[in-house]
Each structure stands twice: as C-alpha cells, then as structure tokens.
Amino acid sequence: MRILRGALLLGGLALLACGLVGLLTDPYVTGPLGVLLWAAGLVALHDGLWLPLVCALGAATTGRPVLRGWLVVAAAVGAVAVPAVLRAGDDHGNPTLLPLPYLRHWLLFLAVTAAAAALAALVRRSVRKARPRGR
Amino acid sequence: MDRDPSPARRRFDPPLPAPPAALRRGPFRPGAFRSPAHGPRTAVVLGRWLGAALLLCFATGLISHLLQDPPGWLAPHLPPRPVNGYRTTQGLHVIAGLAAVPLAGAKLWTVYPRLFEWPPARGVLHLLERLSIALLVAAVLLELFTGLLNTLQWYPWPFPFRQTHYWTAWTAVGALLVHLAVKAPVIAAHWRRAGAVPPSVPPPVPPPVPPSVPPSGRRAVLAATAAAVGAVTLTTAGQSVPWLRALDLFAPRRPGTGGLPVNRTAAQAGTTAVPADWRLAVDGPAGYLIGLGGLRGLPQTTADLPIACVEGWSADARWTGVRLSDLLRRAGIPAGSAVRITSLEAEGPYRVTEMPAPYADDPLTLLALDLDGRPLTPDHGFPARIVAPNRPGVLQTKWVARIEAV
Ligand code: HEM
C-alpha cells in the first residue's frame, strides 16, 4: 500500500508537471492566462451556481426518487444536447455539420422520458399501497 | 485521511490557524448537507466509473495524438492495420468523454460537502492537497467542456483547442493519480460495500427501476447516474456505432443520411473551382505530371475504407482510384519512403501532410477518384484525394496537387 501510494503520488506529480509545463511552453498556446481564466470560470459556475441549484432541487424533491432520477437524466442529456440546440444551423456552410432538428429531438426526449417517469412513479405508488410496509 | 501528529511530521506540515468560528455559516455549518449519499462509499463507486472513463479517454486520446503527430522515431512504425483501428479508438474516446459528463457531475455532487470542510486548511499539507483537488476539478471540467464543444466545431474561447486539450489531459490525469494516492486509505476502506461478504460478486450495479422497497439514498443516486450515462450514450453514440444510429438524437454528425459527412467543405478550403489544366505532380527521380484522364487510364483499385474523424464520428465508404504505391513506383520512389502530400487549398493546418512509409506502401492506400461509384464531388476532394486505412480523417488529404518523397 505504501509503495503503491508513493508511486501514484510521484507519477501523478510528474504527469501534472508535464501538463502544466507543456501548456506554458507550447508555441501555439500564446495566452495560457486565458486557459486559466476559462478553467477557473468553469469551476466557479459549476460549484457556485450549478451545484447549489442541484442541491435546492434535491431538497425540494425529497421522497420522490423517480422525479429525482428523471431530473438527473434530463440534466445529463441536456448537457450534451443543449449546446447542439444552441448551435443548430450554425454550420459554417457545411450542411453535414449539425444536420438534425435538435430542438425538436430535445423536446421529444423530455416528453417521452417524463411520460415514462410518471408511469414508473404511478406503478411504484400502487405497489407500495398494495404492500404497506415501507421501511 | 490518516493524520499522524508526530513531531517530525509537524515540522514539514505546520498547522494553520483556524478562521474565527463566526465565519462558519451557510454551507460551512455542521450538518448543512443531509443526504446520506454524500458519503465516501458513493464517492468510491462513482470514482471507479469516472476514473475508468477518464483513463480510457486518455489512452485513446494519446493514440490519436501519436497518429497525427508522431515523433520521428515512431513514424516509420505506425501501423496501417487494423483498417478500423482509429475509428474504434476515437469513437470510444468521444463515447467515454460524453459518459464522463454525468459521471463527473454525480461525483462532484457527492463530494460537494467537502468543499465546505472546516477548518478550510488544517495544515500546509492539507492546503496543498486541496489545491491539487482544485486543479483536478478545473482540468476535468475544462477537458469535458472543450471536448464537447469541439465536436460541434464551436470554439468560443481565445486559445487553440488541440494543444490546450492535449496538455490539460496530462494535467487532469496527473492530478487524478495524486488524488488516488491521497485518498488511498478511504478508497481501500470503502472498496467493498459495508457488510458485504468479502469475495462475493463484483460491485453492485443497482437496477435502473427501483424495486418496491424505497431505495437508500446512495442506491438511488447510483441508479440515476447509471440511467443518465445510458441515456447520454444511446442518444449520441450513433455517430460512430452504426447499429445505434436509430437512437441517435443529439450527435453533431449523422453518417448515412445526406451522404458521407465532411469536415471542411470545398467552399471553406477555396477549392470549388479546380483549374481546368489540373495535373497531379509526382516528384521523384522519374517525376511526372498526370491529368485526370491519365489517372483513370492506370489500373484502378476499389477499397472499403472508413472516414474516421478526430471529432469521433466515422462512416464507411467505397473508394476507387489508383494505388498510391503504383504512382510512387512510376516516379522511381522506392518502397519504404515516407511521402509529403500537398493540397490545392491555399491555407489550413493540413494543407501539407506527411505520410509515413507503412501507409504509403499499403496496398489499400489510394489516390481516390471515385466515392461509392461516382466521381468525387468538390466537398469530397475532386479531382483526387488520399484515403488510407487506420488514419485520422484530417490526414486524408483532399484536392491533392502534389506528391513527393520526404
Ligand atoms: C476523475 C476525476 C475525479 C474527480 C474530478 C474527483 C473529484 C473529487 C473531489 C473534488 C473530491 C473532494 C475532495 C476533498 O476535498 O476531500 C473527491 C473525493 C474523493 N474521491 Fe474523487 N475524483 C475523481 C476520481 C476519483 C476516483 C477514480 C476515485 C476512486 C476510485 C475517487 C475517490 C474519492 C474518494 C474516496 C473521495 C473522498 C470522499 C469522502 O471522503 O467523502 N475519486 N473527489
């Protein structure tokens, strides 16, 4: 365990140094400060805005695991779908880039998964009513 | 973490003063986070999934980097086989990267309370550890964000994508290994489910639909995360996995409908109008110029080779044209030579590319004139383009003007 830990630590520090030195010395990366600002901005948005929102939504939905699960799925798919929705049509004259109706697909996905989640919640409730044991 | 307050260690790790307790408000209050799912067991299970996705991304990303920019010693050994090698590794790269989005989201939610640990830094070592965590999170978020937007050809930032994504990958993986070293005791303690019989079945993957018993907080979180990974994968992987195409809702490319996708159109490259007197120049000891008619008069070969893009999508295509090795031999260029290929486009990072000898010698590497039985269109590289097996799409040079030995 000790040796493994030491090797992980040293190896990790070496790769980390490689990455940072590479970023600072790469001839194409002329403004490493910009990289730092974007990375810090992402962390600030994620930890300062996004996670508080998730925690608030979580608190508002205690005891409703199916609703929570649906929110998690919708958020995850939204993270990859919404950028495509925002960029749809912006193809620099290349019709093979972003060729799908992304907004329509996104709404369709939300509707279908919401219906499935509602069904699952109903089934869950009736099953629990039939077997009133809880936990 | 194990704290060892021995005097020797204290000398290297002096304690830091705690801030006044009056500042301990909001999320810093003890008990501010109540969900039992914030515990270390959830962090370990999600960490395993996320770590696997990240390491898979790193390995496949390195392969892509080496195929595109091989160091001099490696170039003569790059393998043109398997034919579908690059489409597989790069398809996996994007699939694992997109799967890492919900995994990273869930992992960071799980450990969010640790951000508000009190006191914020117990000692110098603890402070350094927290700085390395900040670096890990920043590098992972930047990597996922730039990778995702790159597949949409969306570059809202002021730095070059490729180099930044490459160096940030090393930073992220380095910080991940440091993280594993620091957390090793916690990881070991929670590797198995508490109370599980030691050598039983592998870690539990809970069923996506919770059974009638109300699921514990952790199981619900893991089930939701698994469902999210599944949904993201199924709705995007169709751009690289043909049998998932029917489920593809959100991928930025759709091979199969509207023909073979392209990354750079002829209009973007300024090659819509090819000069009427276009002739390919093959430079060598017996160099020559040859027009389209002359090329069609040479023995033709047909090969099924995928176009596999660095952005993850790939598509099958049937190419017909002249073997590159035949063209080189006619010019007196011997087998085993690397060649330089120049495109008609006026500028662009891939206007001039070098092809290592194993590709130039391969019988499947063509100077293609036809795609799926029809002459190339301008967007696909009319009058002639290179296709080779197991090569990133950006190196399949279109609108070829000149070929020479390096
Ligand atoms: C790949 C990207 C990863 C990221 C971005 C990440 C992020 C984090 C963060 C921000 C913390 C809180 C650190 C603190 O202040 O204590 C944490 C804790 C932890 N991580 Fe990771 N992690 C990653 C991978 C992993 C992996 C692969 C494992 C193990 C398999 C793992 C296991 C843990 C454990 C056990 C904790 C402590 C949880 C606790 O004490 O409650 N992590 N991680």
Side-chain angles (χ1 to χ4, degrees):
Chain A
M1 180 80 158
R2 265 216 141 146
I3 297 176
L4 180 68
R5 260 184 111 178
L8 276 176
L9 185 68
L10 290 183
L13 288 174
L15 295 194
L16 209 143
C18 247
L20 292 179
V21 170
L23 197 63
L24 290 175
T25 55
D26 191 293
Y28 291 92
V29 185
T30 46
L33 196 64
V35 180
L36 184 77
L37 285 181
W38 273 74
L42 286 173
V43 176
L45 281 181
H46 184 270
D47 286 9
L49 210 65
W50 170 246
L51 277 179
L53 180 74
V54 172
C55 289
L57 274 175
T61 54
T62 21
R64 307 178 68 185
V66 178
L67 176 59
R68 277 181 170 184
W70 178 73
L71 286 171
V72 169
V73 171
V77 174
V80 301
V82 169
V85 172
L86 292 176
R87 287 295 277 187
D90 208 338
D91 61 10
H92 320 289
N94 179 355
T96 66
L97 176 64
L98 294 169
L100 306 178
Y102 293 96
L103 180 61
R104 195 185 328 142
H105 282 179
W106 175 226
L107 297 177
L108 182 78
F109 178 84
L110 288 180
V112 169
T113 50
L119 199 68
L122 264 175
V123 170
R124 188 170 171 271
R125 190 175 306 168
S126 54
V127 168
R128 288 176 79 198
K129 235 183 237 152
R131 262 196 296 162
R133 211 158 31 93
R135 192 173 52 131
Chain B
M1 245 202 75
D2 53 343
R3 294 262 103 198
D4 172 12
S6 74
R9 173 132 178 212
R10 293 214 130 202
R11 189 139 31 97
F12 299 104
D13 186 16
L16 295 172
L23 290 180
R24 193 167 190 190
R25 289 158 183 276
F28 290 100
R29 276 176 294 118
F33 293 89
R34 276 183 314 244
S35 166
H38 286 296
R41 169 68 189 164
T42 324
V44 168
V45 176
L46 290 173
R48 280 197 298 239
W49 298 350
L50 178 58
L54 223 69
L55 292 180
L56 183 57
C57 279
F58 188 58
T60 49
L62 275 186
I63 290 175
S64 181
H65 183 84
L66 291 175
L67 284 179
Q68 284 182 71
D69 268 335
W73 58 267
L74 183 63
H77 306 289
L78 289 185
R81 295 297 147 80
V83 170
N84 284 318
Y86 184 70
R87 96 188 289 189
T88 308
T89 60
Q90 199 56 16
L92 276 177
H93 183 79
V94 172
I95 289 172
L98 293 182
V101 170
L103 291 176
K107 176 79 169 39
L108 293 177
W109 172 83
T110 301
V111 296
Y112 192 41
R114 320 252 333 152
L115 181 60
F116 306 103
E117 206 175 343
W118 199 268
R122 290 188 299 267
V124 172
L125 260 190
H126 186 221
L127 182 69
L128 286 177
E129 179 211 326
R130 299 206 70 190
L131 287 178
S132 78
I133 285 286
L135 206 58
L136 171 65
V137 175
V140 167
L141 289 181
L142 187 68
E143 202 67 357
L144 297 181
F145 181 72
T146 53
L148 173 66
L149 293 207
N150 172 58
T151 65
L152 309 171
Q153 297 196 0
W154 184 7
Y155 306 102
W157 46 73
F159 42 82
F161 165 75
R162 229 182 117 215
Q163 290 77 9
T164 310
H165 197 72
Y166 177 68
W167 293 118
T168 306
W170 288 88
T171 311
V173 171
L176 170 63
L177 298 188
V178 172
H179 176 55
L180 294 181
V182 169
K183 297 288 183 200
V186 193
I187 295 173
H190 296 276
W191 192 257
R192 291 175 194 289
R193 194 168 12 149
V197 199
S200 68
V201 275
V205 179
V209 179
S212 50
V213 179
S216 76
R218 171 170 33 94
R219 291 191 145 218
V221 168
L222 295 180
T225 308
V229 169
V232 166
T233 306
L234 290 178
T235 55
T236 54
Q239 61 178 337
S240 42
V241 184
W243 46 270
L244 285 178
R245 199 152 290 158
L247 291 174
D248 168 18
L249 293 175
F250 304 117
R253 302 308 193 116
R254 171 59 69 82
T257 39
L260 183 68
V262 297
N263 237 19
R264 196 163 144 84
T265 62
Q268 286 169 323
T271 51
T272 26
V274 172
D277 59 348
W278 174 84
R279 287 224 180 343
L280 171 73
V282 186
D283 278 359
Y288 55 92
L289 293 174
I290 185 168
L292 203 49
L295 285 168
R296 290 205 178 274
L298 295 175
Q300 305 285 302
T301 302
T302 295
D304 289 323
L305 293 175
I307 288 291
C309 182
V310 283
E311 286 148 26
W313 62 267
S314 58
D316 289 305
R318 171 160 293 182
W319 309 92
T320 304
V322 187
R323 278 207 177 108
L324 182 63
S325 54
D326 290 353
L327 292 172
L328 298 177
R329 288 315 90 77
R330 268 172 61 106
I333 298 173
S337 312
V339 294
R340 180 176 300 126
I341 298 155
T342 306
S343 167
L344 282 173
E345 57 192 308
E347 55 183 353
Y350 299 98
R351 188 177 74 88
V352 182
T353 58
E354 283 192 8
M355 177 183 279
Y359 293 101
D361 292 342
D362 195 282
L364 287 181
T365 299
L366 304 183
L367 182 75
L369 309 174
D370 294 341
L371 163 58
D372 293 330
R374 300 232 221 97
L376 293 173
T377 58
D379 280 353
H380 287 298
F382 178 84
R385 76 171 296 168
I386 291 290
V387 275
N390 195 23
R391 276 216 113 190
V394 283
L395 299 178
Q396 313 274 35
T397 309
K398 301 195 274 192
W399 316 292
V400 175
R402 161 184 232 97
I403 301 173
E404 64 209 300
V406 175

Short mmCIF file of all heavy atoms in Angstrom, two decimals, chain B residues 38-41 43-52 54 104 107-108 110-112 114-115 117 129-130 133 136-137 140 176 179-180 183 186-187 190-191, ligand 1:
data_model
loop_
_atom_site.label_atom_id
_atom_site.label_comp_id
_atom_site.label_asym_id
_atom_site.label_seq_id
_atom_site.Cartn_x
_atom_site.Cartn_y
_atom_site.Cartn_z
N HIS B 38 -23.98 11.50 0.25
CA HIS B 38 -22.73 12.25 0.11
C HIS B 38 -21.53 11.49 0.67
O HIS B 38 -20.44 12.03 0.70
CB HIS B 38 -22.84 13.60 0.83
CG HIS B 38 -23.71 14.61 0.12
ND1 HIS B 38 -23.40 15.10 -1.12
CD2 HIS B 38 -24.87 15.21 0.48
CE1 HIS B 38 -24.34 15.97 -1.49
NE2 HIS B 38 -25.25 16.04 -0.54
N GLY B 39 -21.71 10.27 1.14
CA GLY B 39 -20.64 9.57 1.83
C GLY B 39 -19.56 9.02 0.93
O GLY B 39 -19.70 9.00 -0.30
N PRO B 40 -18.47 8.56 1.54
CA PRO B 40 -17.32 8.08 0.77
C PRO B 40 -17.61 6.82 -0.05
O PRO B 40 -16.96 6.62 -1.06
CB PRO B 40 -16.25 7.80 1.83
CG PRO B 40 -16.93 7.88 3.15
CD PRO B 40 -18.20 8.62 2.98
N ARG B 41 -18.56 5.99 0.36
CA ARG B 41 -18.84 4.80 -0.45
C ARG B 41 -19.38 5.22 -1.84
O ARG B 41 -19.00 4.66 -2.86
CB ARG B 41 -19.83 3.89 0.27
CG ARG B 41 -20.40 2.77 -0.55
CD ARG B 41 -19.38 1.71 -0.93
NE ARG B 41 -19.97 0.79 -1.90
CZ ARG B 41 -19.32 -0.05 -2.67
NH1 ARG B 41 -18.00 -0.11 -2.59
NH2 ARG B 41 -19.94 -0.82 -3.50
N ALA B 43 -18.69 8.02 -3.26
CA ALA B 43 -17.55 8.61 -3.97
C ALA B 43 -16.68 7.52 -4.59
O ALA B 43 -16.16 7.70 -5.69
CB ALA B 43 -16.72 9.48 -3.01
N VAL B 44 -16.54 6.40 -3.90
CA VAL B 44 -15.68 5.33 -4.45
C VAL B 44 -16.34 4.67 -5.66
O VAL B 44 -15.70 4.46 -6.68
CB VAL B 44 -15.35 4.29 -3.36
CG1 VAL B 44 -14.71 3.06 -3.97
CG2 VAL B 44 -14.41 4.90 -2.33
N VAL B 45 -17.63 4.36 -5.55
CA VAL B 45 -18.29 3.70 -6.68
C VAL B 45 -18.29 4.61 -7.90
O VAL B 45 -17.89 4.22 -9.01
CB VAL B 45 -19.73 3.29 -6.31
CG1 VAL B 45 -20.43 2.69 -7.51
CG2 VAL B 45 -19.71 2.28 -5.17
N LEU B 46 -18.70 5.86 -7.71
CA LEU B 46 -18.71 6.79 -8.85
C LEU B 46 -17.29 7.07 -9.32
O LEU B 46 -17.04 7.21 -10.52
CB LEU B 46 -19.39 8.10 -8.45
CG LEU B 46 -20.90 7.99 -8.24
CD1 LEU B 46 -21.45 9.30 -7.68
CD2 LEU B 46 -21.59 7.66 -9.56
N GLY B 47 -16.35 7.14 -8.36
CA GLY B 47 -14.96 7.38 -8.73
C GLY B 47 -14.41 6.29 -9.62
O GLY B 47 -13.69 6.57 -10.58
N ARG B 48 -14.78 5.05 -9.35
CA ARG B 48 -14.32 3.95 -10.20
C ARG B 48 -14.81 4.13 -11.63
O ARG B 48 -14.05 3.99 -12.58
CB ARG B 48 -14.82 2.61 -9.64
CG ARG B 48 -13.99 2.11 -8.48
CD ARG B 48 -14.25 0.64 -8.22
NE ARG B 48 -15.62 0.38 -7.85
CZ ARG B 48 -16.00 -0.20 -6.71
NH1 ARG B 48 -15.09 -0.53 -5.82
NH2 ARG B 48 -17.25 -0.43 -6.47
N TRP B 49 -16.10 4.44 -11.77
CA TRP B 49 -16.64 4.61 -13.12
C TRP B 49 -15.97 5.80 -13.81
O TRP B 49 -15.54 5.71 -14.96
CB TRP B 49 -18.15 4.87 -13.07
CG TRP B 49 -18.97 3.76 -12.47
CD1 TRP B 49 -18.51 2.49 -12.15
CD2 TRP B 49 -20.35 3.79 -12.12
NE1 TRP B 49 -19.55 1.76 -11.63
CE2 TRP B 49 -20.68 2.51 -11.59
CE3 TRP B 49 -21.34 4.76 -12.19
CZ2 TRP B 49 -21.96 2.20 -11.16
CZ3 TRP B 49 -22.62 4.46 -11.76
CH2 TRP B 49 -22.93 3.19 -11.24
N LEU B 50 -15.88 6.91 -13.09
CA LEU B 50 -15.31 8.11 -13.69
C LEU B 50 -13.83 7.92 -14.02
O LEU B 50 -13.36 8.32 -15.08
CB LEU B 50 -15.49 9.30 -12.73
CG LEU B 50 -14.92 10.64 -13.17
CD1 LEU B 50 -15.51 11.08 -14.48
CD2 LEU B 50 -15.20 11.70 -12.10
N GLY B 51 -13.11 7.26 -13.09
CA GLY B 51 -11.69 7.02 -13.34
C GLY B 51 -11.50 6.16 -14.58
O GLY B 51 -10.63 6.43 -15.41
N ALA B 52 -12.35 5.12 -14.73
CA ALA B 52 -12.22 4.26 -15.91
C ALA B 52 -12.48 5.07 -17.18
O ALA B 52 -11.75 4.96 -18.17
CB ALA B 52 -13.20 3.10 -15.80
N LEU B 54 -12.14 8.28 -17.65
CA LEU B 54 -11.06 9.24 -17.88
C LEU B 54 -9.80 8.57 -18.42
O LEU B 54 -9.16 9.08 -19.34
CB LEU B 54 -10.74 9.95 -16.56
CG LEU B 54 -10.54 11.44 -16.72
CD1 LEU B 54 -11.86 12.09 -17.05
CD2 LEU B 54 -9.95 12.03 -15.48
N ALA B 104 -18.91 12.75 -13.92
CA ALA B 104 -18.23 13.83 -13.19
C ALA B 104 -19.24 14.65 -12.42
O ALA B 104 -19.01 15.05 -11.27
CB ALA B 104 -17.45 14.71 -14.16
N LYS B 107 -20.20 12.63 -9.32
CA LYS B 107 -19.08 12.55 -8.37
C LYS B 107 -18.91 13.88 -7.64
O LYS B 107 -18.74 13.92 -6.42
CB LYS B 107 -17.80 12.19 -9.14
CG LYS B 107 -16.54 12.17 -8.31
CD LYS B 107 -16.46 10.88 -7.52
CE LYS B 107 -15.16 10.60 -6.84
NZ LYS B 107 -14.34 11.48 -6.21
N LEU B 108 -18.95 14.97 -8.39
CA LEU B 108 -18.73 16.27 -7.75
C LEU B 108 -19.88 16.63 -6.83
O LEU B 108 -19.69 17.26 -5.79
CB LEU B 108 -18.50 17.35 -8.81
CG LEU B 108 -17.20 17.17 -9.59
CD1 LEU B 108 -17.05 18.21 -10.69
CD2 LEU B 108 -16.00 17.23 -8.65
N THR B 110 -21.54 14.41 -5.11
CA THR B 110 -21.34 13.56 -3.93
C THR B 110 -20.36 14.20 -2.95
O THR B 110 -20.58 14.17 -1.74
CB THR B 110 -20.80 12.19 -4.36
OG1 THR B 110 -21.74 11.60 -5.24
CG2 THR B 110 -20.57 11.29 -3.18
N VAL B 111 -19.27 14.76 -3.46
CA VAL B 111 -18.22 15.27 -2.57
C VAL B 111 -18.36 16.77 -2.33
O VAL B 111 -17.48 17.37 -1.71
CB VAL B 111 -16.82 14.94 -3.12
CG1 VAL B 111 -16.61 13.43 -3.17
CG2 VAL B 111 -16.62 15.54 -4.49
N TYR B 112 -19.47 17.36 -2.80
CA TYR B 112 -19.64 18.81 -2.64
C TYR B 112 -19.49 19.26 -1.19
O TYR B 112 -18.84 20.28 -0.94
CB TYR B 112 -21.01 19.20 -3.20
CG TYR B 112 -21.24 20.69 -3.39
CD1 TYR B 112 -20.24 21.52 -3.88
CD2 TYR B 112 -22.49 21.25 -3.10
CE1 TYR B 112 -20.48 22.88 -4.06
CE2 TYR B 112 -22.73 22.60 -3.29
CZ TYR B 112 -21.72 23.41 -3.77
OH TYR B 112 -21.96 24.74 -3.95
N ARG B 114 -17.50 18.40 0.95
CA ARG B 114 -16.09 18.51 1.33
C ARG B 114 -15.50 19.85 0.95
O ARG B 114 -14.47 20.24 1.49
CB ARG B 114 -15.26 17.39 0.70
CG ARG B 114 -15.93 16.06 0.67
CD ARG B 114 -15.39 15.05 1.62
NE ARG B 114 -14.01 15.24 1.97
CZ ARG B 114 -13.48 14.85 3.11
NH1 ARG B 114 -14.26 14.27 4.00
NH2 ARG B 114 -12.23 15.04 3.37
N LEU B 115 -16.14 20.54 0.03
CA LEU B 115 -15.66 21.88 -0.33
C LEU B 115 -15.78 22.82 0.86
O LEU B 115 -15.05 23.79 0.98
CB LEU B 115 -16.50 22.40 -1.51
CG LEU B 115 -16.17 23.77 -2.09
CD1 LEU B 115 -14.74 23.82 -2.61
CD2 LEU B 115 -17.13 24.13 -3.21
N GLU B 117 -15.47 22.01 4.09
CA GLU B 117 -14.78 21.42 5.22
C GLU B 117 -14.33 22.54 6.19
O GLU B 117 -13.95 23.63 5.75
CB GLU B 117 -13.54 20.75 4.66
CG GLU B 117 -12.99 19.62 5.43
CD GLU B 117 -11.83 19.02 4.64
OE1 GLU B 117 -11.72 19.29 3.43
OE2 GLU B 117 -11.06 18.31 5.24
N GLU B 129 -3.00 19.64 -0.64
CA GLU B 129 -3.90 18.63 -1.15
C GLU B 129 -5.14 19.28 -1.75
O GLU B 129 -5.61 18.91 -2.83
CB GLU B 129 -4.31 17.67 -0.03
CG GLU B 129 -5.27 16.59 -0.49
CD GLU B 129 -6.24 16.15 0.60
OE1 GLU B 129 -5.84 16.14 1.79
OE2 GLU B 129 -7.39 15.84 0.25
N ARG B 130 -5.64 20.29 -1.07
CA ARG B 130 -6.86 20.94 -1.57
C ARG B 130 -6.57 21.70 -2.86
O ARG B 130 -7.41 21.76 -3.76
CB ARG B 130 -7.45 21.86 -0.50
CG ARG B 130 -7.84 21.09 0.76
CD ARG B 130 -8.93 21.76 1.53
NE ARG B 130 -10.22 21.70 0.84
CZ ARG B 130 -11.28 22.38 1.23
NH1 ARG B 130 -11.22 23.17 2.29
NH2 ARG B 130 -12.41 22.29 0.56
N ILE B 133 -6.69 19.24 -5.58
CA ILE B 133 -8.09 18.91 -5.91
C ILE B 133 -8.69 19.99 -6.80
O ILE B 133 -9.39 19.71 -7.78
CB ILE B 133 -8.91 18.78 -4.61
CG1 ILE B 133 -8.57 17.45 -3.92
CG2 ILE B 133 -10.38 18.86 -4.86
CD1 ILE B 133 -9.18 16.26 -4.60
N LEU B 136 -7.47 19.37 -10.18
CA LEU B 136 -8.13 18.20 -10.77
C LEU B 136 -9.50 18.59 -11.32
O LEU B 136 -9.85 18.30 -12.47
CB LEU B 136 -8.28 17.10 -9.72
CG LEU B 136 -9.13 15.89 -10.10
CD1 LEU B 136 -8.52 15.13 -11.25
CD2 LEU B 136 -9.34 14.96 -8.90
N VAL B 137 -10.28 19.27 -10.49
CA VAL B 137 -11.64 19.62 -10.91
C VAL B 137 -11.59 20.59 -12.09
O VAL B 137 -12.31 20.41 -13.09
CB VAL B 137 -12.43 20.23 -9.73
CG1 VAL B 137 -13.80 20.69 -10.18
CG2 VAL B 137 -12.56 19.20 -8.62
N VAL B 140 -10.51 18.67 -15.27
CA VAL B 140 -11.54 17.77 -15.78
C VAL B 140 -12.69 18.56 -16.41
O VAL B 140 -13.15 18.24 -17.51
CB VAL B 140 -12.05 16.83 -14.66
CG1 VAL B 140 -13.31 16.11 -15.08
CG2 VAL B 140 -10.97 15.82 -14.30
N LEU B 176 -5.35 13.32 -11.11
CA LEU B 176 -6.15 12.16 -10.71
C LEU B 176 -5.29 11.15 -9.93
O LEU B 176 -5.71 10.63 -8.89
CB LEU B 176 -6.76 11.49 -11.95
CG LEU B 176 -7.44 10.14 -11.72
CD1 LEU B 176 -8.62 10.28 -10.78
CD2 LEU B 176 -7.88 9.50 -13.02
N HIS B 179 -4.72 12.43 -6.55
CA HIS B 179 -5.97 12.27 -5.80
C HIS B 179 -6.09 10.84 -5.27
O HIS B 179 -6.44 10.60 -4.11
CB HIS B 179 -7.12 12.62 -6.74
CG HIS B 179 -8.50 12.43 -6.19
ND1 HIS B 179 -8.93 13.02 -5.02
CD2 HIS B 179 -9.57 11.75 -6.67
CE1 HIS B 179 -10.19 12.69 -4.81
NE2 HIS B 179 -10.61 11.91 -5.79
N LEU B 180 -5.78 9.86 -6.12
CA LEU B 180 -5.88 8.46 -5.70
C LEU B 180 -4.87 8.17 -4.59
O LEU B 180 -5.18 7.45 -3.64
CB LEU B 180 -5.64 7.53 -6.89
CG LEU B 180 -6.71 7.58 -7.98
CD1 LEU B 180 -6.39 6.61 -9.10
CD2 LEU B 180 -8.09 7.28 -7.41
N LYS B 183 -6.20 9.76 -1.34
CA LYS B 183 -7.42 9.13 -0.81
C LYS B 183 -7.27 7.63 -0.63
O LYS B 183 -8.26 6.96 -0.28
CB LYS B 183 -8.61 9.41 -1.73
CG LYS B 183 -8.98 10.87 -1.88
CD LYS B 183 -9.61 11.43 -0.64
CE LYS B 183 -10.04 12.87 -0.85
NZ LYS B 183 -10.24 13.59 0.40
N VAL B 186 -9.05 5.88 2.28
CA VAL B 186 -10.52 5.95 2.22
C VAL B 186 -11.03 5.03 1.11
O VAL B 186 -12.03 4.33 1.27
CB VAL B 186 -10.99 7.39 1.92
CG1 VAL B 186 -12.48 7.52 2.17
CG2 VAL B 186 -10.22 8.39 2.76
N ILE B 187 -10.34 5.03 -0.02
CA ILE B 187 -10.77 4.19 -1.14
C ILE B 187 -10.71 2.72 -0.73
O ILE B 187 -11.66 1.96 -0.95
CB ILE B 187 -9.89 4.44 -2.38
CG1 ILE B 187 -10.08 5.89 -2.88
CG2 ILE B 187 -10.23 3.46 -3.50
CD1 ILE B 187 -9.14 6.30 -3.98
N HIS B 190 -13.51 1.66 1.56
CA HIS B 190 -14.87 1.63 1.01
C HIS B 190 -14.93 0.92 -0.33
O HIS B 190 -15.89 1.08 -1.07
CB HIS B 190 -15.41 3.05 0.88
CG HIS B 190 -15.57 3.72 2.20
ND1 HIS B 190 -16.68 3.56 2.99
CD2 HIS B 190 -14.74 4.52 2.88
CE1 HIS B 190 -16.53 4.24 4.11
NE2 HIS B 190 -15.36 4.84 4.07
N TRP B 191 -13.86 0.17 -0.67
CA TRP B 191 -13.84 -0.50 -1.97
C TRP B 191 -15.01 -1.48 -2.08
O TRP B 191 -15.64 -1.60 -3.11
CB TRP B 191 -12.51 -1.22 -2.16
CG TRP B 191 -12.31 -1.68 -3.56
CD1 TRP B 191 -12.43 -2.95 -4.04
CD2 TRP B 191 -11.96 -0.85 -4.69
NE1 TRP B 191 -12.17 -2.97 -5.39
CE2 TRP B 191 -11.89 -1.70 -5.82
CE3 TRP B 191 -11.73 0.51 -4.85
CZ2 TRP B 191 -11.58 -1.23 -7.09
CZ3 TRP B 191 -11.42 0.98 -6.12
CH2 TRP B 191 -11.35 0.12 -7.22
C1 HEM C 1 -11.58 11.52 -12.40
C2 HEM C 1 -11.92 12.57 -11.83
C3 HEM C 1 -12.21 12.77 -10.35
C4 HEM C 1 -12.59 13.95 -9.85
C5 HEM C 1 -12.80 15.25 -10.64
C6 HEM C 1 -12.77 13.78 -8.42
C7 HEM C 1 -13.15 14.80 -7.56
C8 HEM C 1 -13.17 14.69 -6.17
C9 HEM C 1 -13.32 15.78 -5.26
C10 HEM C 1 -13.49 17.24 -5.66
C11 HEM C 1 -13.30 15.27 -4.01
C12 HEM C 1 -13.40 16.04 -2.69
C13 HEM C 1 -12.00 16.16 -2.17
C14 HEM C 1 -11.93 16.67 -0.76
O1 HEM C 1 -11.96 17.88 -0.58
O2 HEM C 1 -11.82 15.81 0.12
C15 HEM C 1 -13.16 13.85 -4.10
C16 HEM C 1 -13.14 12.97 -3.02
C17 HEM C 1 -12.99 11.60 -3.14
N1 HEM C 1 -12.76 10.88 -4.30
FE1 HEM C 1 -12.61 11.66 -6.15
N2 HEM C 1 -12.50 12.48 -8.08
C18 HEM C 1 -12.15 11.81 -9.22
C19 HEM C 1 -11.81 10.46 -9.31
C20 HEM C 1 -11.85 9.55 -8.25
C21 HEM C 1 -11.56 8.13 -8.35
C22 HEM C 1 -11.12 7.42 -9.65
C23 HEM C 1 -11.74 7.60 -7.09
C24 HEM C 1 -11.60 6.17 -6.60
C25 HEM C 1 -11.94 5.11 -7.22
C26 HEM C 1 -12.13 8.66 -6.21
C27 HEM C 1 -12.41 8.52 -4.84
C28 HEM C 1 -12.67 9.55 -3.97
C29 HEM C 1 -12.87 9.40 -2.54
C30 HEM C 1 -12.85 8.11 -1.74
C31 HEM C 1 -13.07 10.69 -2.02
C32 HEM C 1 -13.34 11.05 -0.55
C33 HEM C 1 -14.80 11.11 -0.29
C34 HEM C 1 -15.10 11.43 1.16
O3 HEM C 1 -14.16 11.45 1.96
O4 HEM C 1 -16.29 11.64 1.44
N3 HEM C 1 -12.18 9.84 -6.94
N4 HEM C 1 -13.07 13.51 -5.46
#
